[in-house]
């Protein structure tokens, strides 16, 4: 191998693998660098498999080698030569079942990565070999217990292979692949499932806690998972024909009861058999939801079995997965055409009494989580990530039952709620958990539609939510806000905050300011869940809008600004928690109050900068970092833009030293944001003002090639370059800095990932430069784009190219564009126009870009080259008219709510919403396309009478009417 690596010895490889685990960073980096420099040599992956298989080496070395192999295959599989790829695939299938379970799992992950690209077409023998081994293991099942492990290993590999069918989009190609897979696995899978469920599955066997029991339960678990994956897209014919056998086994699994003195202990973990039951319930739910007609003969017995299972299982957290899966099945049935299974009044009452009420009650586990792991409690309860918790499952079941039995369910639960609240009123100390359950029940029956992001939008009209809020939520919030450091029932306080958040659209307008005043006081609570819930609620209530106007009026909250700012700042600067909700709330306060935040500008800047400085050595929560920078962007946008002459110097003085430190230290988590903020600050300088020297010194830094190798830095750096171009184009040209900027454009356009930023940059260059500054470069610029169109055309780049050419046409003139293209190659303009421009321009959906394209294209109605080709000229006219229809039908809509939850975010770059999207081409300076159309059309038709005949004979009646309408608008006619 390269660099003297001895492929014949495993010891050398093992020593470097061991070194990658060294606590010494230098040793670790050197080992990683050495391995990466040698991994492209022949046989590297095979040597790794040999090391993994060799029991003479330490287990941790073999495990590290397995991890390295998986990651190597992920990043370099396409670069491995065909012969080695084939040998590695053979080696994996041969080695897989001979390894310890931990190593086997890692090799199966590697196999799955390879299968994503090679299976089944380039790995045809994989599934037949696995199925053959499964068949052989089944035959010796009763005589040889070692075959159980083989069976488990094969099924684990098949599970990894078919799991993707749960997530892929349905297509003919996918269904053909599924048919191929089913042809091999469906029969041995059923044989295995029947053998284990019929011959071994008894309560006594399951209770045995030994290696063999565990292996057989693993086999059963894998069978259930594979069943789900194979049936997710469609109901396979074989599975439909053998539904009786599968149903019999599933029913047996659900009916097994393992109740014992030890089974309900709180510290018991979720057992493997519990997981088998949960997977079984998922399979039944899938069939009940997607294949209800075929599965209907079996449904009632499964509902009964699930009912018994739910009643049988206690409140222990070890059963949570089973219980939530069971309630999920009942939820699906309650909303389906088989809802009649719940039609009897006694049935509904029993569901409520024996299933819903016990599972909505607060458990000690929940209280422990609230106190010991508050952030996890928040994630489960408030964020909506508790889809697998009992309380969320209960809420979904209640909503499902309300679909067809709203009156009955509302009446039943109203009685329960009334009783619980009465008991609480008599004895709060001992009955506060009753009110907790009551609030959850009201939430469940009250909420009919909505999302976590926007709150409830459709509610149960039989529930007086406003009155419940006044009578039972407001008093709870008021009492807690009086002594935020000593709240009597903190979980009830959080329930009340959550209720206010969920039903914020239904809270009477006059109670919103009062609610926010209570929340502001609760920010002082030392309990993380309380002050975090308050932050979440304040942020969401302040976001409420009606017809683009804030629902809460600023003047009603003027007395709260100071308290909000200082309390949120205090919470934010407790960086040990890096609580993203506190800083997100602060960002919302800045957005909501806007210019009214001016008195707090320096305080806020000092706080945010200090916070970022404290976490800069060890950046943690990326969302916390993101919202810190959103706060800065919000101050720039809403405070500085109102009074830049006063505020801008303060911002620059406070921020620049910190920014300089971050850029010097190259803190990767901060740099992409800093470039965006710098661009925003530069844009706040007057429209035609030259940027100060403090900015000019940054421009040469942007020419550093290594910075452009960082994918996450590129969007922010492009935005900053665009700001320089708009503000300092004369300085750039005078200092010969336009050439390196065009070099950056060239590199970006060559990349399919970053071409969008390259085209944005060149549009800004054209906008900023006058013709004399840019004309010498235009031929090469066009040539670069044409090469990209020829060698790596994509829909996105093609559209960007058309927008650019359209812009160039009305910026510098259509004749210049024609001349430019024909100078590159004789007749190129017509070729490009006919085969690229016209066919693709009508696909542009963005209304601003449609305007640019329509305006640019309309200019070519007076182009001499096209007038000589009447049919092509007519196509231009038709296309312009078509674009105008789309442009008029898609007006630009503004929004008051600048911060959207669907923000662009990935591990390398996240767009700051409050920096905003600056137009590359200022749309206000683009001529109105209908005016350009009318002017050019009337001028050319007046000089070329023959075109009138072409229009009358060949232009469709629809477009003739459209043309007449545009001409009439400006007092013209043909």
């Amino acid at each position: 191998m390269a660099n003297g690596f001895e492929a014949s010895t495993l010891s050398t490889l093992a020593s470097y693998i061991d070194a990658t685990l060294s606590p010494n960073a230098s040793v670790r980096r050197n080992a990683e660098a050495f391995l990466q420099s040698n991994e492209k040599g022949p046989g590297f992956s095979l040597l790794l498999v040999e090391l993994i298989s060799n029991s003479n080496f330490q287990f941790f070395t073999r495990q590290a080698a397995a991890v390295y192999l998986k990651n190597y295959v992920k990043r370099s599989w396409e670069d491995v030569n065909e012969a080695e790829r084939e040998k590695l695939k053979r080696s994996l299938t041969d080695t897989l079942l001979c390894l310890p379970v931990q190593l086997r799992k890692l090799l199966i992950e590697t196999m799955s990565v390879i299968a994503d690209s090679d299976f089944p077409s380039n790995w045809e023998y994989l599934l037949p070999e696995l199925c053959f081994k499964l068949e052989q293991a089944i035959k010796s099942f009763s005589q040889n217990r070692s075959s159980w492990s083989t069976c488990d290993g094969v099924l684990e590999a098949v599970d990894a292979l078919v799991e993707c069918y749960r997530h892929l989009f349905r297509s003919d190609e996918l269904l053909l692949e599924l048919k191929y897979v089913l042809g091999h696995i469906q029969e041995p899978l059923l044989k295995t499932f029947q053998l284990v469920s019929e011959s071994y599955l008894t309560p006594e066997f399951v209770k045995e806690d030994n290696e063999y029991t565990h292996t057989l339960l693993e086999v059963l678990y894998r069978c259930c998972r594979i069943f789900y994956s194979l049936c997710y897209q469609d109901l396979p014919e074989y599975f439909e024909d053998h539904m009786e056998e599968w149903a019999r086994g599933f029913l047996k699994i659900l009916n097994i009861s393992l109740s014992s003195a030890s089974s309900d202990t709180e510290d018991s973990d979720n057992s493997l058999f519990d997981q088998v039951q949960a997977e079984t319930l998922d399979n039944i739910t899938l069939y009940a939801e997607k294949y209800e007609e075929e599965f209907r003969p079996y449904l009632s017995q499964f509902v009964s079995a699930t009912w018994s299972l739910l009643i049988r299982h206690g409140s222990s957290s070890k059963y949570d997965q089973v219980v939530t899966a069971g309630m999920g099945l009942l939820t699906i049935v309650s909303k389906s055409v088989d809802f009649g299974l719940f039609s009897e009044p006694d049935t509904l009452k029993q569901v409520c009494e024996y299933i819903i009420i016990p599972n909505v009650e607060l458990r000690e586990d929940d209280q422990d989580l609230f106190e010991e792991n508050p952030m996890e409690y928040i994630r489960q309860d408030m964020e909506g990530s508790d889809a697998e918790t009992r309380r969320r499952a209960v809420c979904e079941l209640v909503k499902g039952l309300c679909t067809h039995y709203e009156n009955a369910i509302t009446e039943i639960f109203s009685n329960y709620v009334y009783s619980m609240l009465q008991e609480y009123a008599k004895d709060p100390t001992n009955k506060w958990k009753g009110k907790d359950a009551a609030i959850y029940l009201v939430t469940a029956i009250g909420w009919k539609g909505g999302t976590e992001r926007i709150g409830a939008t459709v509610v149960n009209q039989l529930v007086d939510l406003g009155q419940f809020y006044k009578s039972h939520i407001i008093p709870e919030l008021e009492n807690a806000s009086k002594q935020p450091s000593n709240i009597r029932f903190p979980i009830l306080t959080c329930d009340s905050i959550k209720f206010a958040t969920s039903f914020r659209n239904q809270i009477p307008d006059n109670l919103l300011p009062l609610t926010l005043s209570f929340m502001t006081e609760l920010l002082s609570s030392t309990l993380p869940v309380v002050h975090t819930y308050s932050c979440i609620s304040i942020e969401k209530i302040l976001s409420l809008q009606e017809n683009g106007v804030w629902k809460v009026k600023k003047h009603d909250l003027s007395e709260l600004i100071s308290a909000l700012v200082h309390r949120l700042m205090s919470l934010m600067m407790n960086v040990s928690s890096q609580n993203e909700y506190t800083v997100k709330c602060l960002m919302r306060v800045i957005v909501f109050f806007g210019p009214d935040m001016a008195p707090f500008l320096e305080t806020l800047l000092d706080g945010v900068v200090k916070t970022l400085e404290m976490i800069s050595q060890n950046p943690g929560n990326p969302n916390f970092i993101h919202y810190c920078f959103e706060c800065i962007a919000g101050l720039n946008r809403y405070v500085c833009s109102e009074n830049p002459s006063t505020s801008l110097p303060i911002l620059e003085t406070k921020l620049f030293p910190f920014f300089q430190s971050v850029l010097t230290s190259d803190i990767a988590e901060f740099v992409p944001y800093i470039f965006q903020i710098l661009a925003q600050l530069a844009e706040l300088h007057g429209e035609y003002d030259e940027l100060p020297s403090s900015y000019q010194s940054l421009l040469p830094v942007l020419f550093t090639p290594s910075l452009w190798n960082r994918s996450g830095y590129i969007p922010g750096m492009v935005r900053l370059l665009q700001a320089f171009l708009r503000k300092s184009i004369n300085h750039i040209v005078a200092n010969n800095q336009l050439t390196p900027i065009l070099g950056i454009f060239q590199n970006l356009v060559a990349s399919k990932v970053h071409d969008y930023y390259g085209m944005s940059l060149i549009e800004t260059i054209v906008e900023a430069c006058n013709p004399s500054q840019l004309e010498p470069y235009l031929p090469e610029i066009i040539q670069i784009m044409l090469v990209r169109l020829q060698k790596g055309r994509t829909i996105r780049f093609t559209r960007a190219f058309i927008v650019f050419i359209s812009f160039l046409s009305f910026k510098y003139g259509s004749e210049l564009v024609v001349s430019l293209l024909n100078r590159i190659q004789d007749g190129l303009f017509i070729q490009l126009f006919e085969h690229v421009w016209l066919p693709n321009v009508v696909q542009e959906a963005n209304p601003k870009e449609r305007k640019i394209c329509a305006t640019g294209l309309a200019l070519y109605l007076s182009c001499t080259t096209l007038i000589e080709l009447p049919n092509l000229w007519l196509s231009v006219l038709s296309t312009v008219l078509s674009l105008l229809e789309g442009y008029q039908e898609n007006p630009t809509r503004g929004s008051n709510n600048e911060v959207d939850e669907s923000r662009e975010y990935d591990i390398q770059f996240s767009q700051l919403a409050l920096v905003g999207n600056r137009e590359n081409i200022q749309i206000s300076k683009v001529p109105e396309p209908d005016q350009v159309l009318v002017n050019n059309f009337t001028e050319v038709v007046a000089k070329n009478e023959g075109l009138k005949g072409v229009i009358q004979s060949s232009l469709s009646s629809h477009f003739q009417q459209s043309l007449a309408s545009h001409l009439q608008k400006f007092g013209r006619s043909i």
Side-chain angles (χ1 to χ4, degrees):
M1 293 181 73
N3 299 331
F5 191 79
E6 294 291 337
S8 59
T9 62
L10 293 179
S11 57
T12 307
L13 176 61
S15 65
Y16 280 102
I17 290 289
D18 285 343
T20 63
L21 304 175
S22 170
N24 186 312
S26 176
V27 172
R28 193 168 61 247
R29 280 195 295 267
N30 289 337
E32 290 167 353
F34 184 85
L35 288 169
Q36 286 181 17
S37 68
N38 283 277
E39 64 185 21
K40 291 188 179 178
F44 180 81
S45 63
L46 303 176
L47 198 60
L48 280 170
V49 175
E50 192 177 342
L51 173 58
I52 295 163
S53 309
N54 194 323
S55 59
N56 292 325
F57 290 95
Q58 294 283 347
F59 184 80
F60 68 81
T61 303
R62 298 165 68 194
Q63 194 170 32
V67 172
Y68 194 95
L69 175 65
K70 181 186 69 172
N71 293 331
Y72 166 67
V73 167
K74 273 185 178 179
R75 67 175 178 267
S76 304
W77 181 243
E78 296 301 323
D79 299 328
V80 180
N81 69 69
E82 191 59 40
E84 184 173 335
R85 287 168 68 151
E86 185 59 29
K87 287 179 182 177
L88 177 59
K89 288 188 286 191
R90 283 283 178 192
S91 180
L92 284 175
T93 52
D94 293 341
T95 307
L96 202 61
L97 302 177
C98 307
L99 295 173
V101 172
Q102 299 94 320
L103 297 179
R104 184 178 76 198
K105 288 182 182 297
L106 288 166
L107 283 198
I108 285 174
E109 289 180 31
T110 304
M111 181 203 77
S112 181
V113 173
I114 296 172
D116 285 342
S117 63
D118 286 23
F119 180 80
S121 56
N122 294 322
W123 203 353
E124 294 178 350
Y125 57 85
L126 173 61
L127 194 58
E129 280 195 13
L130 290 173
C131 291
F132 174 76
K133 291 176 180 178
L134 182 60
E135 293 270 16
Q136 294 299 108
I138 294 170
K139 287 177 183 177
S140 59
F141 220 71
S142 57
Q143 294 85 22
N144 183 5
R145 285 196 171 190
S146 65
S147 65
W148 297 8
S149 180
T150 301
C151 194
D152 179 30
V154 170
L155 289 173
E156 186 178 1
V158 174
D159 182 17
L161 200 63
V162 301
E163 186 181 19
C164 61
Y165 301 140
R166 303 176 180 209
H167 318 296
L168 296 174
F169 287 109
R170 182 186 174 99
S171 65
D172 291 343
E173 185 182 0
L174 177 63
L175 292 177
L176 283 173
E177 184 179 318
L178 257 173
K179 184 178 180 182
Y180 165 80
V181 171
L182 285 162
H184 287 286
I185 193 61
Q186 58 192 13
E187 193 171 335
L189 181 68
L190 178 57
K191 283 181 183 177
T192 307
F193 180 74
Q194 282 184 291
L195 180 62
V196 177
S197 62
E198 293 177 4
S199 303
Y200 295 91
L201 192 63
T202 64
E204 293 73 27
F205 179 82
V206 174
K207 286 178 184 178
E208 293 180 20
D209 187 14
N210 59 50
E211 178 186 348
Y212 296 112
T213 304
H214 188 274
T215 301
L216 276 194
L217 288 177
E218 278 281 359
V219 168
L220 211 53
Y221 174 73
R222 296 295 171 189
C223 285
C224 291
R225 282 185 52 81
I226 293 167
F227 178 96
Y228 189 96
S229 299
L230 294 177
C231 295
Y232 187 82
Q233 295 286 343
D234 204 350
L235 178 59
E237 183 179 347
Y238 183 87
F239 283 73
E240 184 177 359
D241 293 341
H242 294 83
M243 196 177 291
E244 172 69 33
E245 293 96 308
W246 282 105
R248 188 165 57 244
F250 287 151
L251 202 58
K252 187 175 181 182
I253 291 171
L254 296 183
N255 283 329
I256 286 181
S257 173
L258 300 181
S259 57
S260 67
S262 63
S263 66
D264 270 354
T265 55
E266 285 300 321
D267 58 348
S268 296
D269 290 328
N270 185 11
S271 73
L272 184 54
F273 186 67
D274 293 328
Q275 293 176 46
V276 172
Q277 286 190 321
E279 290 293 336
T280 300
L281 286 164
D282 286 343
N283 288 334
I284 303 308
T285 303
L286 177 72
Y287 268 52
E289 186 173 17
K290 298 186 74 171
Y291 315 121
E292 56 186 2
E293 185 176 340
E294 295 85 352
F295 192 63
R296 184 165 289 119
Y298 309 95
L299 185 61
S300 62
Q301 55 188 324
F302 276 104
V303 170
S304 298
T306 303
W307 187 312
S308 300
L309 182 70
L310 293 174
I311 294 173
R312 186 163 78 230
H313 282 331
S315 62
S316 171
S317 59
K318 69 170 286 185
Y319 297 126
D320 283 359
Q321 187 181 0
V322 179
V323 171
T324 55
M327 285 194 281
L329 171 60
L330 297 185
T331 301
I332 291 298
V333 175
S334 71
K335 294 189 287 188
S336 73
V337 295
D338 297 297
F339 66 89
L341 290 171
F342 298 96
S343 60
E344 293 296 325
D346 284 347
T347 303
L348 284 177
K349 193 170 182 182
Q350 288 171 23
V351 170
C352 296
E353 183 175 348
Y354 295 116
I355 296 176
I356 292 174
I357 295 297
N359 286 298
V360 82
E361 290 172 346
L362 192 71
R363 302 176 300 176
E364 285 190 23
D365 280 357
D366 302 318
Q367 290 178 259
D368 292 341
L369 194 65
F370 183 92
E371 294 165 4
E372 297 168 11
N373 193 349
M375 294 313 293
E376 181 58 28
Y377 183 94
I378 293 162
R379 272 188 285 272
Q380 287 190 3
D381 186 56
M382 191 66 151
E383 281 190 343
S385 62
D386 57 334
E388 297 302 322
T389 66
R390 294 193 185 210
R391 285 189 148 190
R392 176 54 60 91
V394 162
C395 287
E396 293 304 313
L397 177 55
V398 171
K399 291 175 194 174
L401 291 169
C402 283
T403 304
H404 297 286
Y405 304 107
E406 186 174 75
N407 288 3
I409 291 294
T410 303
E411 183 180 350
I412 291 169
F413 282 125
S414 295
N415 294 330
Y416 278 113
V417 168
Y418 178 79
S419 174
M420 291 170 175
L421 292 174
Q422 286 292 101
E423 289 181 6
Y424 171 74
K426 293 175 185 175
D427 185 7
T429 303
N430 296 310
K431 298 295 183 180
W432 67 268
K433 289 184 181 179
K435 182 167 183 178
D436 167 82
I439 293 173
Y440 262 88
L441 286 175
V442 173
T443 301
I445 59 176
W447 179 301
K448 291 182 69 175
T451 64
E452 294 292 333
R453 190 170 73 85
I454 62 175
T457 53
V458 184
V459 296
N460 185 342
Q461 297 301 317
L462 301 175
V463 180
D464 192 342
L465 292 169
Q467 185 58 46
F468 183 83
Y469 187 76
K470 269 187 213 176
S471 303
H472 301 289
I473 300 299
I474 285 287
E476 205 66 51
L477 294 175
E478 184 175 15
N479 290 335
S481 67
K482 290 175 181 176
Q483 287 187 303
S485 58
N486 187 28
I487 299 173
R488 189 178 180 190
F489 304 119
I491 291 181
L492 272 188
T493 301
C494 291
D495 292 340
S496 301
I497 297 171
K498 184 181 178 183
F499 188 93
T501 307
S502 299
F503 294 106
R504 57 190 178 275
N505 295 299
Q506 287 73 40
I507 296 176
D509 289 358
N510 64 311
L511 292 180
L512 286 172
L514 181 63
T515 301
L516 287 168
S517 70
F518 295 151
M519 305 287 189
T520 303
E521 292 301 320
L522 291 171
L523 292 175
S524 302
S525 173
T526 55
L527 295 172
V529 182
V530 174
H531 64 238
T532 301
Y533 272 36
S534 299
C535 288
I536 294 170
S537 191
I538 291 168
E539 193 274 327
K540 292 188 179 298
I541 292 174
L542 289 181
S543 304
L544 290 174
Q545 293 188 46
E546 279 185 344
N547 302 319
V549 178
W550 300 125
K551 193 172 181 181
V552 183
K553 307 307 176 190
K554 289 185 188 181
H555 60 79
D556 291 333
L557 305 180
S558 57
E559 295 181 0
L560 299 179
I561 298 180
S562 179
L564 280 168
V565 169
H566 288 99
R567 287 170 188 166
L568 289 170
M569 289 275 289
S570 176
L571 292 171
M572 177 185 68
M573 295 182 73
N574 177 18
V575 295
S576 60
S577 64
Q578 292 194 29
N579 188 333
E580 66 194 72
Y581 303 104
T582 61
V583 71
K584 185 179 182 182
C585 183
L586 180 60
M587 174 204 70
R588 175 59 62 189
V589 168
I590 292 169
V591 173
F592 181 83
F593 288 106
D596 295 343
M597 299 297 289
F600 306 98
L601 177 61
E602 294 193 54
T603 303
L604 285 163
L605 285 172
D606 288 338
V608 175
V609 169
K610 181 66 176 174
T611 301
L612 289 169
E613 285 175 340
M614 287 190 287
I615 65 172
S616 62
Q617 297 304 311
N618 186 25
N621 184 346
N623 285 326
F624 181 82
I625 296 167
H626 178 90
Y627 288 118
C628 281
F629 281 102
E630 287 282 16
C631 286
I632 297 173
L635 292 171
N636 293 344
R637 180 168 185 161
Y638 295 106
V639 178
C640 184
S641 61
E642 290 293 312
N643 190 7
S645 60
T646 302
S647 302
L648 197 50
I650 297 172
L651 283 157
E652 291 168 346
T653 302
K654 297 283 186 184
L655 295 174
F656 273 30
F658 170 64
F659 286 179
Q660 185 66 46
S661 171
V662 170
L663 292 173
T664 303
S665 304
D666 194 21
I667 301 172
E669 293 85 353
F670 290 3
V671 172
Y673 294 117
I674 285 174
F675 283 132
Q676 293 178 71
I677 298 291
L678 284 170
Q680 187 187 30
L681 289 170
E683 289 163 1
L684 285 169
H685 283 270
E687 182 72 21
Y688 302 104
D689 292 354
E690 283 282 332
L691 290 173
S693 59
S694 55
Y695 288 89
Q696 301 293 359
S697 62
L698 285 169
L699 184 55
V701 175
L702 296 178
F703 301 149
T704 308
S706 59
L707 288 177
W708 294 93
N709 294 330
R710 303 279 193 90
S711 181
Y713 290 11
I714 287 174
M717 290 196 295
V718 168
R719 179 71 178 263
L720 185 53
L721 270 179
Q722 290 174 308
F724 277 114
L725 287 162
R726 293 189 186 99
K727 304 290 184 181
S728 303
I729 187 62
N730 293 328
H731 180 275
I732 288 170
V733 172
N735 287 276
N736 298 316
Q737 292 173 319
L738 188 57
T739 300
I741 293 175
L742 288 169
I744 291 168
F745 149 75
Q746 182 175 4
N747 289 331
L748 292 174
V749 163
S751 163
K752 289 184 180 180
V753 177
H754 300 127
D755 54 10
Y756 167 79
Y757 299 107
M759 295 304 288
S760 297
L761 183 60
I762 198 63
E763 286 171 359
T764 304
I765 291 171
V766 171
E767 184 183 47
C769 291
N770 60 50
S772 63
Q773 291 171 325
L774 194 60
E775 272 192 37
Y777 302 99
L778 279 175
E780 189 176 355
I781 290 170
I782 299 294
Q783 186 78 49
I784 289 166
M785 294 183 186
L786 293 175
V787 169
R788 171 60 203 278
L789 275 175
Q790 186 178 13
K791 294 186 176 179
R793 183 189 301 190
T794 61
I795 293 173
R796 183 174 77 166
F797 183 78
T798 303
R799 291 180 182 174
F801 173 75
I802 292 169
V803 171
F804 171 76
I805 289 292
S806 302
F807 176 48
L808 194 66
S809 299
F810 64 75
K811 176 75 175 179
Y812 291 167
S814 57
E815 293 300 332
L816 180 138
V817 174
V818 174
S819 173
L820 266 174
L821 291 169
N822 287 335
R823 264 189 285 161
I824 293 170
Q825 180 185 318
D826 190 38
L828 180 60
F829 168 72
I830 292 296
Q831 289 180 41
L832 204 64
F833 208 77
E834 231 177 334
H835 301 295
V836 177
W837 199 337
L838 288 180
N840 291 286
V841 70
V842 290
Q843 298 174 24
E844 183 55 65
N846 183 298
K848 293 180 181 178
E849 294 183 352
R850 282 183 83 92
K851 178 180 180 181
I852 293 167
C853 292
T855 300
L857 195 57
L859 292 168
Y860 288 89
L861 290 171
S862 57
C863 174
T864 308
T865 307
L866 292 177
I867 293 170
E868 294 170 357
L869 300 166
N871 289 335
L872 188 55
W873 182 89
L874 193 66
S875 295
V876 174
L877 177 60
S878 302
T879 305
V880 173
L881 291 168
S882 177
L883 284 168
L884 284 174
E885 288 177 355
Y887 167 62
Q888 291 169 343
E889 290 166 5
N890 293 283
T892 304
R893 293 183 175 89
S895 171
N896 214 10
N897 193 2
E898 300 292 348
V899 185
D900 193 332
E901 298 299 321
S902 58
R903 61 184 177 84
E904 180 186 349
Y905 177 80
D906 62 41
I907 196 168
Q908 293 181 317
F909 173 75
S910 188
Q911 172 70 47
L912 289 172
L914 296 180
V915 166
N917 292 315
R918 175 70 186 255
E919 295 173 345
N920 304 320
I921 302 166
Q922 293 187 43
I923 203 72
S924 60
K925 295 184 179 180
V926 178
E928 287 301 322
D930 51 355
Q931 177 76 71
V932 177
L933 163 69
V934 169
N935 290 345
N936 282 270
F937 175 83
T938 52
E939 179 185 341
V940 75
V941 169
K943 296 177 182 177
N944 299 271
E945 289 289 327
L947 290 176
K948 291 183 181 179
V950 173
I951 293 168
Q952 290 168 354
S953 63
S954 302
L955 188 65
S956 71
S957 58
H958 170 74
F959 282 136
Q960 286 195 37
Q961 291 173 10
S962 176
L963 176 61
S965 174
H966 288 296
L967 290 168
Q968 185 179 6
K969 177 181 175 181
F970 295 97
R972 310 281 186 88
S973 65
I974 296 178

